[in-house]
Amino acid sequence: VYIVGICIAVCGNFLISISLNIQKYTHMRQSQRGTKPYYTSRLWWCGILLMGLGELGNFAAYGFAPASLIAPLGCVSVIASAVISVVFLKETLRASDILGGALALIGTYCLVTFAPHSSPHVTANMVERSLVSWQFLIYFLFEAILFAVLMYFYKCRNVKHIVIMMILVALLASVTVISVKAVSGMITETIRGSHLQLTYPIFYIMFIIMVTSCAFQIKFLNQAMKLFDATEIVPINYVFFTASAIVAGILFYEEFYGLSIIYIIMFVVGCLLAFTGVFLIARARPRIKMDRVFISMGQIPGKSCTDKVQPQSDDSKYGKLASKLTCNSEIQQDEP
């Protein structure tokens, strides 16, 4: 069953990378032509549709495979986005892109091979028991205190450091991953016909938590995008999101229970390789010539200008819906 989850997650992240590049191309074209707004373009709406399908795939994947296996696969979106940017948007291919892609692929192979391949069936009773378990209560208390301290520095002391903002997003992402896997798992169990899970109040409680935590992630990521470049946001958010998803899977769903030490070590090595690869791909993306893009697409622009194309990640797992949506706000800010 976990192979189904892997395939769905990989396909979902690939669709998201295509969507982001389609949207970026649409914004560049509209900016170059200076005609109708981007949201009047059919191509832009095709990109939005592909993003929705990709996020739906990430959501479904959590119902088939452990969260600690699905979340790191967000690097697929970064790799695919970099390749598409080079091939279709004529971005410069760098040596660091090739090295980063190779490391990310090796890390992904290690993750898929050595990650836990099974997790307990997510039922309403299981979620209720996990919510009152001592390890989760301690973890949640630690998260709540840390979140309150960081919010004090962020709001009261006006400390706008990127690490503080990304930790706030990661703390929310941990709650999101727990709730997403709970909702997706209960829906999966219901579809399988083993037991109707949608009649339990905990299903709707977790659904509300999922929507709320995701909304606040969007808020903080939007604020981070206004202050920092995507080359900083993408890798840091991917690392923090993946780490929070893995910790949530370990403490809430006990996904690493019974896993041998060598598998755990190789899983950590895979995470480090994937993290390094994402940093190499996302760092300091070069500017591209927009006139080269349009000429290659069979269009002759009236003038040339430059813009940035950033490979976008996600994050995650749940596939990082928040980080993908905020990319749109960054792209809109790049327009004149």
Side-chain angles (χ1 to χ4, degrees), residues 65-121:
S68 54
L69 176 58
I70 298 301
L73 293 178
C75 66
V76 172
S77 178
V78 181
I79 299 173
S81 184
V83 173
I84 294 172
S85 297
V86 171
V87 174
F88 293 101
L89 296 181
K90 305 305 175 183
E91 186 174 340
T92 303
L93 180 63
R94 307 169 301 171
S96 60
D97 296 331
I98 299 175
L99 177 61
L103 291 176
L105 288 175
I106 296 172
T108 302
Y109 173 79
C110 292
L111 289 170
V112 172
T113 303
F114 298 102
H117 292 163
S118 62
S119 59
H121 287 286

Side-chain angles (χ1 to χ4, degrees), residues 12 15-21 23 45-58 312 320-321 323-328:
L15 288 177
I16 288 171
S17 65
I18 295 175
S19 165
L20 293 173
N21 281 277
Q23 292 178 63
W45 283 108
C46 287
I48 293 296
L49 178 60
L50 288 176
M51 177 175 288
L53 291 175
E55 292 298 346
L56 183 61
N58 279 331
Q312 306 294 345
K320 329 130 219 96
L321 172 61
S323 62
K324 305 300 188 311
L325 290 176
T326 51
C327 291
N328 295 337

Side-chain angles (χ1 to χ4, degrees), residues 215-287:
F216 278 100
Q217 281 187 76
I218 295 174
K219 175 183 177 181
F220 284 113
L221 277 171
N222 267 303
Q223 294 174 355
M225 286 293 187
K226 293 178 182 178
L227 299 174
F228 305 98
D229 191 77
T231 56
E232 300 173 285
I233 297 295
V234 169
I236 295 177
N237 183 60
Y238 169 72
V239 171
F240 284 6
F241 175 85
T242 302
S244 64
I246 293 172
V247 172
I250 293 174
L251 297 179
F252 194 87
Y253 295 104
E254 300 180 349
E255 292 177 348
F256 280 71
Y257 180 77
L259 204 65
S260 64
I261 297 297
I262 186 63
Y263 271 65
I264 295 176
I265 293 175
M266 291 305 298
F267 178 82
V268 173
V269 171
C271 286
L272 294 177
L273 289 175
F275 293 164
T276 304
V278 169
F279 268 100
L280 289 175
I281 293 173
R283 70 179 184 88
R285 300 303 301 173
R287 292 180 180 272

Side-chain angles (χ1 to χ4, degrees), residues 2-235:
Y2 79 93
I3 296 178
V4 176
I6 292 174
C7 294
I8 294 175
V10 170
C11 293
N13 283 298
F14 184 70
L15 288 177
I16 288 171
S17 65
I18 295 175
S19 165
L20 293 173
N21 281 277
I22 287 177
Q23 292 178 63
K24 182 62 179 179
Y25 171 74
T26 305
H27 283 283
M28 292 165 59
R29 185 181 64 180
Q30 298 299 109
S31 175
Q32 186 76 4
R33 290 178 174 179
T35 55
K36 298 179 181 179
Y38 65 91
Y39 51 80
T40 62
S41 171
R42 293 181 180 179
L43 186 60
W44 185 83
W45 283 108
C46 287
I48 293 296
L49 178 60
L50 288 176
M51 177 175 288
L53 291 175
E55 292 298 346
L56 183 61
N58 279 331
F59 175 81
Y62 280 98
F64 294 94
S68 54
L69 176 58
I70 298 301
L73 293 178
C75 66
V76 172
S77 178
V78 181
I79 299 173
S81 184
V83 173
I84 294 172
S85 297
V86 171
V87 174
F88 293 101
L89 296 181
K90 305 305 175 183
E91 186 174 340
T92 303
L93 180 63
R94 307 169 301 171
S96 60
D97 296 331
I98 299 175
L99 177 61
L103 291 176
L105 288 175
I106 296 172
T108 302
Y109 173 79
C110 292
L111 289 170
V112 172
T113 303
F114 298 102
H117 292 163
S118 62
S119 59
H121 287 286
V122 180
T123 62
N125 292 330
M126 180 265 187
V127 173
E128 291 173 351
R129 289 195 303 269
S130 298
L131 283 173
V132 296
S133 61
W134 64 268
Q135 65 266 25
F136 173 73
L137 292 176
I138 293 176
Y139 171 68
F140 183 76
L141 179 62
F142 171 78
E143 271 204 343
I145 294 174
L146 181 58
F147 189 85
V149 171
L150 293 177
M151 282 298 294
Y152 169 76
F153 283 104
Y154 178 71
K155 290 291 186 181
C156 300
R157 296 292 184 179
N158 199 32
V159 179
K160 307 295 185 181
H161 196 277
I162 186 172
V163 173
I164 291 180
M165 302 184 74
M166 290 298 99
I167 292 178
L168 288 172
V169 174
L171 294 175
L172 292 169
S174 178
V175 178
T176 301
V177 168
I178 290 174
S179 57
V180 164
K181 184 167 178 60
V183 172
S184 180
M186 284 188 276
I187 292 176
T188 302
E189 288 296 313
T190 301
I191 294 174
R192 286 174 178 172
S194 58
H195 191 62
L196 183 61
Q197 301 291 315
L198 307 187
T199 58
Y200 290 88
I202 190 64
F203 172 81
Y204 301 97
I205 293 173
M206 298 304 287
F207 181 82
I208 294 173
I209 293 174
M210 177 185 72
V211 174
T212 304
S213 60
C214 184
F216 278 100
Q217 281 187 76
I218 295 174
K219 175 183 177 181
F220 284 113
L221 277 171
N222 267 303
Q223 294 174 355
M225 286 293 187
K226 293 178 182 178
L227 299 174
F228 305 98
D229 191 77
T231 56
E232 300 173 285
I233 297 295
V234 169

